[in-house]
Amino acid sequence: MSRLLDRIFRVVTGACAFGACALFLGIAGTILVKGLPAIDWQFLLLGPGEQFGSGGILYQTLGTLILVATALAVSAPLAIGLSLIQTTYLDSVRAKRRLRLAIYTANGVPSILFGIFGLILFGQLLGWGKSWLAGGLVLGAMILPTLTVALVERIEALPTKYLAAAAAAGLNRSQIVRSVILPQTRGGLLAGALLGLARAAGETAPIMFTAAVFSGATLPSGIRESPIVALPYHIFVLAQDSFNPAAHSQMWGAAAVLLGLVVLLSLLALPARLRSAEEAHHG
Amino acid sequence: MAELLRVHVDPEPIVLAARGLTVRAGRKLLLRNIDLSVRRGQVFGVIGPSGAGKSTLLKVFNRLVDLEAPPLRVEGEVELDGMPLYGSGVDPDELRRRVGTLFQQPVIFPKSIRANALFGVLHHEKMNRNHQEERLEESLRGAALWDEVKDRLDEPATTLSVGQQQRLCLARALAVRPEVLLMDEPTSSLDPRSTEAIEELILSLQDSHTIVLVTHDLGQARRVAGVVACICLRDGIGEVIETACCGDIFSNPRCAETREYLNRRAGQ
């Protein structure tokens, strides 16, 4: 009986794994098959053409990179601080539990809500209108919980013997953070940051209200009324014009570039994640 | 004549003391009513069965109990040089600088031999390069490791053998110049040769440090400890059953629990 259950369990888990891989390969394959023919050097290195759905996606790619870089610059220090508060500085078990709940809940907030929050705060209250900085800040807020969770899990996986040895040598908490925790969780921070960025790079909802326009923008020159063009919003707008073959071709090409960007960020995070897992395992 | 020949030797002052010490984890009592006095320059051995609370007792003396999650509750009086360790205004980090610890397993940071030896002291003292080198040599010599590593100080510490790693941990503790050294079964993971080296070190450090040594190795306690306390479980709670000079406790234990523990260990 137990052997039968074991076989059923193996078949079900195998089917789940196969389903997940097939889904990803199906989506990626469709995007690549339809998108790769549209990609050439001109497509990658030129700005938009005069007609709708023509020209290249240079500024959209640069805009996406500006947004994710801003998001990282904002969220990384905050995530480090939050994760250290959660794991090292908070003594109260109840306070730790509450902060953890808040971080995990924030991680599940739909991205559209971040967009609306950004619209109200930056666009209306601060009067920035559409601004690349507002988009970057909103994306930063959106990936903050992801990054924090990754860091908290990495710090908690740190072998306690290191912390005990450092404390036994008379180091205070800040010294332990500087000389033990941060150096040994660099991999976790990098992995979390790249995964968060991969998520941020593909988000449309938070930036469509706060930062992105479809055309008429190149590189930002200020903060107020300084919108940006970005790949996710570009794809979103082109996808709505389903009867224009040129726009369709552009859309699939842009989608393939965005997919490449996301996969690249995830692959860059892989060695850090593997090293992080191995360190946690071998401690 | 008899008056003239009588030599009066003052006993060394008490460095570490516990009076009525009780330790709790939540509602569970781990240690009950512990009374101990450790004198300067003494090697104070702590023996007893596993789970009796010997390591917890060491953690009380350097306040590593504060770092347990949730922190353990300590009641009673614990003093270092007459100063209450759990009084208000006591800085646990400064206390841990004065009371060094050597753990059961060597804890080596993924850094060089040099960085490991100077790991603690560089956070406590501002030192120029020469001063650092002097302290490095002093601590590594103190741990009898200098001759083995002096030509490869910048190599990763993980390249050392386990015995050398444990001596490096001792060097790290010595570099901070602590008054007291707490050793929690420091040779349990070492081969006989490395064990012998650590025991020789303990005896040589006795002149300059007060040492509290938790050990399961009764032979080791006999060889290095001057005074031995036996902690046993009574009703599931750790208590100091007997404290006596090393010779007395092994040859003529007063308590039945001590006798039973010694006989059980001797039979293993």
Side-chain angles (χ1 to χ4, degrees):
Chain A
M1 184 65 183
S2 66
R3 193 177 288 179
L4 178 68
L5 278 175
D6 183 48
R7 284 189 74 174
I8 292 172
F9 183 73
R10 262 200 261 176
V11 168
V12 170
T13 49
C16 290
F18 178 79
C21 291
L23 188 64
F24 171 74
L25 290 175
I27 293 170
T30 306
I31 291 173
L32 290 177
V33 166
K34 296 195 172 190
L36 283 180
I39 298 176
D40 54 24
W41 288 113
Q42 287 189 329
F43 182 71
L44 293 175
L45 299 177
L46 286 182
E50 287 182 2
Q51 289 184 335
F52 179 78
S54 66
I57 56 163
L58 174 68
Y59 292 115
Q60 282 82 356
T61 310
L62 289 176
T64 303
L65 292 175
I66 289 170
L67 286 174
V68 294
T70 309
L72 179 64
V74 172
S75 59
L78 290 175
I80 293 172
L82 264 176
S83 59
L84 289 174
I85 287 172
Q86 168 70 31
T87 56
T88 310
Y89 288 106
L90 268 188
D91 287 325
S92 157
V93 176
R94 187 181 293 178
K96 275 187 175 194
R97 206 176 294 147
R98 285 182 181 166
L99 181 58
R100 181 182 290 268
L101 181 69
I103 294 168
Y104 276 79
T105 306
N107 205 19
V109 172
S111 58
I112 187 83
L113 296 185
F114 280 99
I116 292 168
F117 169 76
L119 170 70
I120 294 167
L121 179 64
F122 301 114
Q124 294 176 354
L125 289 176
L126 295 178
W128 289 4
K130 280 202 171 182
S131 162
W132 63 275
L133 184 58
L137 291 174
V138 169
L139 285 177
M142 195 191 75
I143 65 169
L144 178 62
T146 312
L147 201 46
T148 308
V149 167
L151 259 181
V152 165
E153 287 176 356
R154 181 65 192 99
I155 293 173
E156 286 177 344
L158 194 65
T160 50
K161 63 179 185 180
Y162 290 131
L163 305 178
L171 272 67
N172 60 34
R173 286 190 210 197
S174 302
Q175 290 169 332
I176 292 174
V177 165
R178 282 203 310 274
S179 56
V180 180
I181 295 177
L182 289 181
Q184 297 211 39
T185 52
R186 265 195 301 243
L189 175 64
L190 186 62
L194 291 172
L195 287 178
L197 289 186
R199 184 184 166 199
E203 282 290 345
T204 309
I207 57 169
M208 65 190 283
F209 295 125
T210 54
V213 291
F214 177 70
S215 60
T218 53
L219 293 176
S221 55
I223 292 175
R224 279 168 184 263
E225 301 296 347
S226 184
I228 203 164
V229 285
L231 284 172
Y233 190 62
H234 190 68
I235 295 165
F236 172 73
V237 174
L238 290 175
Q240 291 173 326
D241 193 358
S242 56
F243 297 107
N244 183 343
H248 241 219
S249 167
Q250 269 249 342
M251 179 198 78
W252 287 110
V257 171
L258 182 60
L259 179 70
L261 200 65
V262 170
V263 170
L264 181 70
L265 287 172
S266 301
L267 286 178
L268 285 174
L270 195 60
R273 292 184 76 194
L274 290 176
R275 198 167 52 243
S276 188
E278 199 171 324
E279 281 167 7
H281 180 69
H282 292 294
Chain B
M1 189 65 181
E3 287 274 295
L4 286 172
L5 286 174
R6 194 167 69 201
V7 179
H8 180 74
V9 180
D10 280 334
E12 290 290 336
I14 291 170
V15 177
L16 266 180
R19 281 186 291 275
L21 167 68
T22 294
V23 182
R24 293 168 202 272
R27 288 183 181 174
K28 189 173 188 286
L29 266 174
L30 302 179
L31 289 171
R32 179 168 56 198
N33 212 17
I34 305 284
D35 289 314
L36 285 178
S37 297
V38 183
R39 292 186 181 275
R40 188 172 303 286
Q42 204 169 51
V43 177
F44 189 96
V46 182
I47 60 171
S50 298
K54 302 184 297 296
S55 299
T56 304
L57 179 65
L58 283 196
K59 287 181 186 171
V60 168
F61 286 139
N62 60 7
R63 285 190 60 168
L64 278 184
V65 284
D66 297 0
L67 304 182
E68 299 282 317
L72 304 184
R73 227 171 58 235
V74 175
E75 293 159 13
E77 291 173 35
V78 189
E79 293 177 349
L80 173 67
D81 281 332
M83 175 195 80
L85 295 189
Y86 290 83
S88 58
V90 175
D91 178 359
D93 304 316
E94 171 59 18
L95 165 71
R96 292 182 201 123
R97 199 194 63 73
R98 295 175 63 192
V99 181
T101 306
L102 192 60
F103 294 97
Q104 198 169 348
Q105 305 277 345
V107 183
I108 291 297
F109 294 100
K111 296 168 187 274
S112 67
I113 294 169
R114 179 195 303 276
N116 266 279
L118 295 174
F119 179 80
V121 71
L122 288 183
H123 287 97
H124 301 302
E125 296 177 37
K126 284 208 179 346
M127 290 181 167
N128 60 31
R129 189 83 188 170
N130 289 340
H131 199 172
Q132 282 181 30
E133 292 302 312
E134 282 170 19
R135 188 66 68 88
L136 178 68
E137 184 174 341
E138 174 194 306
S139 59
L140 288 170
R141 280 191 189 283
L145 193 58
W146 174 252
D147 290 336
E148 294 164 56
V149 301
K150 66 183 176 194
D151 299 322
R152 50 180 181 135
L153 291 168
D154 293 312
E155 285 182 19
T158 45
T159 57
L160 299 175
S161 70
V162 181
Q164 287 174 320
Q165 288 185 5
Q166 188 65 311
R167 279 183 283 149
L168 180 58
C169 292
L170 180 59
R172 186 167 66 213
L174 291 176
V176 185
R177 292 182 174 162
E179 297 152 45
V180 178
L181 277 170
L182 307 177
M183 299 186 174
D184 190 0
E185 298 183 48
T187 58
S188 63
S189 59
L190 305 186
D191 58 58
R193 212 167 141 196
S194 303
T195 299
E196 197 183 327
I198 294 281
E199 286 179 8
E200 281 172 13
L201 276 172
I202 293 172
L203 289 171
S204 69
L205 288 168
Q206 194 178 1
D207 296 335
S208 48
H209 297 81
T210 303
I211 296 171
V212 182
L213 170 72
V214 165
T215 182
H216 272 298
D217 182 346
L218 299 185
Q220 182 172 77
R222 267 184 224 268
R223 286 188 293 273
V224 300
V227 175
V228 173
C230 181
I231 298 185
C232 287
L233 289 168
R234 274 184 180 161
D235 310 322
I237 302 161
E239 285 187 18
V240 173
I241 302 296
E242 187 169 351
T243 306
C245 289
C246 185
D248 293 345
I249 206 163
F250 287 112
S251 60
N252 187 25
R254 290 194 310 270
C255 296
E257 284 116 319
T258 315
R259 265 198 301 278
E260 190 188 330
Y261 171 68
L262 294 177
N263 288 338
R264 210 168 46 239
R265 293 293 300 177
Q268 280 176 359

